[in-house]
Amino acid sequence: QQPVQSPQAVILREGEDAVINCSSSKALYSVHWYRQKHGEAPVFLMILLKGGEQKGHEKISASFNEKKQQSSLYLTASQLSYSGTYFCGTEPDPKAAGNKLTFGGGTRVLVKP
Amino acid sequence: DGGITQSPKYLFRKEGQNVTLSCEQNLNHDAMYWYRQDPGQGLRLIYYSQIVNDFQKGDIAEGYSVSREKKESFPLTVTSAQKNPTAFYLCASSIALNEQFFGPGTRLTVL
C-alpha cells in the first residue's frame, strides 16, 4: 500500500521552514526521500534506516519514527533551489521483499523570492 | 563518469505496437528497476531485478515485459496489451539497501 504524504503542496518564501510528512500502514525497515524537478529524474536526498542510521547528501534533515511508521523531512531556511516535488519511498522488511520501494504521491514545494 | 542512460528520450507508439525502452548502467549495481510516472503522480514500480537472469513483477506489471541478460542492461518492452501506456518511464539502479540512482527517463506517447 502506498505511503501517504502531507501536505500535498506548500508555498514558502525564501528563508522559511517547512515539514513534509510520510506515513505508512506497514512496519518499515527504511524510508527514502527524493526530490524531482519538473521533467527531470528524481534525485536522492536521504535514507533513514530502522535503528537510527541515516545517509544523506544534502543539508536537509529528516526523522523516522519506527513505532508510528512515519517520517518527516525538514526544509530549514529554504532556498529557491528547494523547489520541486518531494517523494518518500518506503521499504518493508528487505528479507521479504528485497530492496523494493513504494513511493508516496508527492509533495509539491514552491519557494518564492 | 558512472551513471544510468535511457533511450530514447521521447518515443511515439502507434496502437497495437510493441516498443522497447533501453536502460544501461555502468555503476556496477546489482539491482535495477522500472517505474512509471503519470502527470502529477508518484512513481509506480513495474518490474525490478536484483540479479542477472532474475526479475520480479512490481505493482503494475501487466502489459509490460523485461529481461536481464547482462548486469548493465535492463530493457523494458511495452506490449500492445498495455492499454494506456502514455507516461514518463524511469529506470533506476542501486546497491541493495542504498539509494536508487535514476536515469533521465523516456517519455512515451501513444498516437
Side-chain angles (χ1 to χ4, degrees):
Chain A
Q1 192 170 359
Q2 186 181 36
V4 177
Q5 289 186 234
S6 63
Q8 288 187 318
V10 60
I11 300 174
L12 301 167
R13 290 289 180 188
E14 204 171 2
E16 291 182 341
D17 301 338
V19 180
I20 301 171
N21 300 301
C22 175
S23 296
S24 174
S25 59
K26 295 182 178 180
L28 300 176
Y29 177 81
S30 71
V31 179
H32 297 217
W33 286 96
Y34 293 81
R35 179 174 61 217
Q36 185 179 30
K37 304 277 186 177
H38 183 69
E40 298 180 4
V43 173
F44 168 76
L45 296 175
M46 181 169 288
I47 292 178
L48 301 102
L49 299 169
K50 188 177 180 179
E53 185 179 355
Q54 297 186 2
K55 305 178 192 179
H57 292 313
E58 295 196 11
K59 295 180 182 178
I60 292 179
S61 62
S63 64
F64 180 20
N65 187 322
E66 297 169 28
K67 289 184 179 178
K68 292 186 177 180
Q69 295 146 199
Q70 294 176 347
S71 178
S72 296
L73 186 71
Y74 305 97
L75 305 181
T76 304
S78 58
Q79 304 171 17
L80 296 176
S81 62
Y82 287 9
S83 293
T85 302
Y86 290 75
F87 292 100
C88 69
T90 57
E91 178 184 20
D93 178 4
K95 292 180 182 177
N99 186 214
K100 171 187 167 185
L101 295 179
T102 302
F103 285 90
T107 295
R108 294 186 180 183
V109 174
L110 176 62
V111 181
K112 293 185 174 181
Chain B
D1 289 335
I4 298 182
T5 58
Q6 290 186 241
S7 62
K9 186 173 182 179
Y10 297 97
L11 185 58
F12 299 91
R13 190 194 93 168
K14 294 180 180 179
E15 289 197 20
Q17 277 185 337
N18 292 355
V19 291
T20 298
L21 283 60
S22 169
C23 177
E24 304 277 334
Q25 55 99 359
N26 60 3
L27 299 167
N28 200 33
H29 287 170
D30 288 314
M32 296 188 74
Y33 312 83
W34 273 105
Y35 294 95
R36 169 179 172 144
Q37 187 175 35
D38 292 288
Q41 303 297 313
L43 287 73
R44 292 186 290 168
L45 183 64
I46 305 172
Y47 270 97
Y48 64 107
S49 167
Q50 298 187 69
I51 195 168
V52 175
N53 291 323
D54 188 41
F55 49 83
Q56 289 80 39
K57 292 182 179 180
D59 300 317
I60 56 166
E62 186 175 351
Y64 301 97
S65 66
V66 294
S67 63
R68 186 85 188 277
E69 297 177 359
K70 298 187 299 182
K71 188 175 185 177
E72 303 78 20
S73 179
F74 192 40
L76 173 73
T77 297
V78 184
T79 74
S80 57
Q82 172 48 241
K83 298 305 178 187
N84 185 23
T86 295
F88 187 44
Y89 290 87
L90 287 158
C91 178
S93 71
S94 75
I95 298 172
L97 304 181
N98 283 281
E99 65 192 274
Q100 293 190 12
F101 290 83
F102 285 84
T106 293
R107 199 166 296 276
L108 173 63
T109 303
V110 173
L111 301 174

